[in-house]
Amino acid sequence: KKLESLVTVDRPIRIHWTGCPNSCGQVQAADIGIMGAPAKKEIDGKNMAVPGCKIFVGGKIGEDGHLSLEPVKTGIPLEEEDLIPVLIDILKSEFGAVEKSKRGGFRNFIQRKILRRKD
């Protein structure tokens, strides 16, 4: 819900989450897969171990399916302040997401749709 309030994407994005190292949540088959993993974060001037994750991008299901076997990001802390910006960057760079405050209303929506069709 937090991501949906900050960005918009022109198609549904499948995000899978698992804490299981055996990939019970099938993170490698997701558009974005988040798997629990160790992370470090500076807290009070010290580098501390914190709950974190690996992020996989680009898995596909169906006839042309394939798995995203290597994470694109590792050691990302699970705190919202750390994880959400990373996910927004991925959504913008890989899936064409646009920040909601930067969409610019109906006129820009039409321009994006027309420009996208010409590509």
Side-chain angles (χ1 to χ4, degrees):
K1 296 291 180 190
K2 179 73 173 182
L3 288 172
E4 289 175 352
S5 73
L6 297 172
V7 296
T8 189
V9 184
D10 290 338
R11 70 173 185 89
I13 302 296
R14 290 175 303 103
I15 299 177
H16 294 197
W17 164 262
T18 187
C20 177
N22 297 320
S23 195
C24 296
Q26 301 177 349
V27 296
Q28 293 91 350
D31 292 319
I32 298 175
I34 303 169
M35 179 185 286
K40 291 188 177 184
K41 182 175 180 175
E42 188 174 319
I43 300 172
D44 296 327
K46 296 179 182 176
N47 215 9
M48 305 290 290
V50 296
C53 67
K54 298 177 186 178
I55 301 176
F56 298 80
V57 176
K60 295 186 179 182
I61 58 174
E63 204 170 297
D64 297 323
H66 75 273
L67 300 177
S68 174
L69 297 176
E70 295 297 321
V72 296
K73 301 278 184 181
T74 59
I76 307 298
L78 291 181
E79 291 289 328
E80 189 173 290
E81 66 191 38
D82 300 306
L83 182 58
I84 294 294
V86 172
L87 293 174
I88 288 173
D89 287 344
I90 291 169
L91 285 167
K92 288 165 69 175
S93 66
E94 300 294 326
F95 302 99
V98 177
E99 291 183 44
K100 287 196 173 180
S101 62
K102 295 182 179 177
R103 287 188 67 80
F106 183 71
R107 175 184 236 167
N108 285 348
F109 170 77
I110 295 298
Q111 288 175 338
R112 280 194 318 277
K113 291 297 182 185
I114 291 170
L115 291 174
R116 181 168 280 178
R117 285 187 188 148
K118 289 181 181 178
D119 291 345

